[in-house]
Amino acid sequence: MSAQAKKRPVVALAEFNTVEEVKHAAEGVRDRGYKNWDVHTPYPVHGMDAAMGLEDSRLGWIVLACGLSGVSLAVLMIQWMNGIDYPLIIGGKPPDAIPSMVPIMFELTVLLSAFGAVLGMLGLNQIPRHHHPVFYSERFDACSDNKFFISIEVEDPKWDVEKTPRFLETLGASHVEVVEGEE
Amino acid sequence: MSEGTSKFHKPVMIPADNPWAHRWKITAGMAAVGGALALFGAINDAHRFAFSWLFAFCAVMTMALGAIFFVLIQHLTGAGWSVTVRRTAEFYARGIWMVVALVVPIMVMAPTLYPWWDASGGHGDHGVAHAQDHGGEHAEEAHGAAGHAAGAHAGSHGEHTPEHQFHADILQKKLGYLDGGAFFGIRAVIYMMVWVWLGAWILGLSTKQDRTKDKQLTVEMARRATYGTFLYALSLTFAGFDWVMSLEPNWYSTMFGVRIFASGAVLSFALVILTTKSFKRHGVVGSQINTEHYHDLGKLMFGFLVFWAYISFSEFFLIWYAAIPEETIYYHRRWDTDSWRLVSSSLVLFKFIVPFYLVMSRNVKRHTGGLWLGAAWLVTMHFVEMYYWVMPYAADLQGVPATPAGLASDVGCLMTTVGLYLTYVFREMTRHSVIAVGDPRLERSLQFVNA
């Protein structure tokens, strides 16, 4: 990537002044069938998931798989270590007694579930991510202050360099720009 | 959203032609049938009847105490989300007044129920020995098995083995508290005074707020909830010691009060879910109680289910690990016979593992049918758990097959206590608004959305 790299459109950015406007516009984008797009707000907005048409997160399934792996791993580990490989009688209990396994089962379930939840969340959100084309826009700084934005990326199957910005304008945006970035 | 936007909320009363206006008649009928069955049981086997009544009483006591906990926590945390469902719990909390009536037979039958009853009152060693015998033959077995586990098998179990003497000594030390007489009754009166006071203001101030819309009452209820919680925790724990734990007078467990509380908490969330869902089905309430509230109730029910499992297992685990005979006896009673082993195992499987997976998913909590099933399941298993607490001490259930009269006693007592309690609660429901319309946080609850 050199300084002379040719610039090209990467994202269409629409600016809104109120929550109601951006929520309404998000419903419009959703209904038009766009896929690679996002809403940027200074604070969490209730009902935005539905307005954007976001489906249930798959994170729960990742955590469930990790938790079940944890509990199975614990059983296998204790059975092997205490029951087969090196049985020790402690306190007169059978070496592989079930109650003695339970704390380990619990701990490994929690541990792997936590790993699954944190790493899965990072993975599904595609972070860490050091840069995004929206930051090429100077107006986008207001997103951490008092403005609301919708961005539609060029990767979207429905992207059209003419129609997409015009569509965003019809949704009531106060300002629409096509942000150019390096390839 | 018309309810959400109006400034003044009208009381939500149960219409006279609604099935909920007549539910109390069904439960009253249930209590009448149950009463006949229980009477049949009592005439045939008074001993078994005493334990059946205690089991049925525990089922109702935990319902009312769980509901009190639900409301106290909402006031302590200043919860806004729960305002529309809180009144339902307040009705169940007020039901504690019926619990006061239902405890009377336990006071009367205490000499039958509690092996330490005759041990005090100047009978000396004879009394203690009698208390020891009272547990029946199975208790002997359990002592033996416990001793074996601890590596201290004493061989034959005559009346004067060192182990036996040791247990008699433990009991002797406890007799200052476990006193069959006035002290036992005075304590019961104190618990009941605390509970009646809680039940009175929990519903009383809240319904007063319906009429006056006085915001100051919210502050007053939050204030009472603070010291009320301490009084609640202490009275619940000591009532548990007195009426349930002392069935096994040699036993030590500092976790038992928490176990009662945890069972009651799970039950209260389940009852609120079931009741409000029925309210909705019959049109008593509309969108005031919606998916968002059920989602949160489901989360709390799930959370407290895990809490219950956690503390119940911890209690067992420490006792199993230490293998001290006077502690392990509690679990030997519930494991050494096939039938009780079945009950114990069913609690692990059906009160924890199955409902844990059943209500784990967010979608199930937000899906009315799934959450209903989970709540109904947990209420059912709660009765099994109450049975597990009390009935191993009924002499005829210590390895001897159950008799028809005994079963009539169990079923009849449960129908009687639950029927009377629900009749009282359902009658109260017809008298007041089923939603706390005077609460200043009502609007927040109506607009509440899970992030």
Side-chain angles (χ1 to χ4, degrees), chain A residues 102 106, chain B residues 255 258-259 262-263 266 301-317 347-348 351-353 355-356 385:
Chain A
V102 172
F106 172 77
Chain B
M255 195 50 90
V258 181
R259 177 137 59 99
S263 289
V266 175
M301 186 173 77
F302 179 75
F304 273 94
L305 174 65
V306 176
F307 175 75
W308 171 85
Y310 187 92
I311 59 106
S312 298
F313 176 76
S314 300
E315 184 182 24
F316 164 77
F317 188 56
L347 281 179
V348 177
K351 208 195 167 197
F352 177 60
I353 295 174
F356 176 80
E385 193 195 355

Side-chain angles (χ1 to χ4, degrees), chain B residues 70 81 85 269 272-273 293-301:
Chain B
F70 181 107
W81 70 270
V85 294
F269 296 115
V272 171
I273 288 168
H293 302 108
Y294 286 126
H295 188 185
D296 266 12
L297 287 169
K299 281 187 268 187
L300 283 166
M301 186 173 77

Side-chain angles (χ1 to χ4, degrees), chain B residues 31-46:
Chain B
V33 174
L37 273 174
L39 192 66
F40 169 71
I43 291 165
N44 279 283
D45 188 347

Side-chain angles (χ1 to χ4, degrees), chain B residues 395-410:
Chain B
D396 62 336
L397 280 179
Q398 292 169 355
V400 182
T403 60
L407 287 175
S409 241
D410 294 346

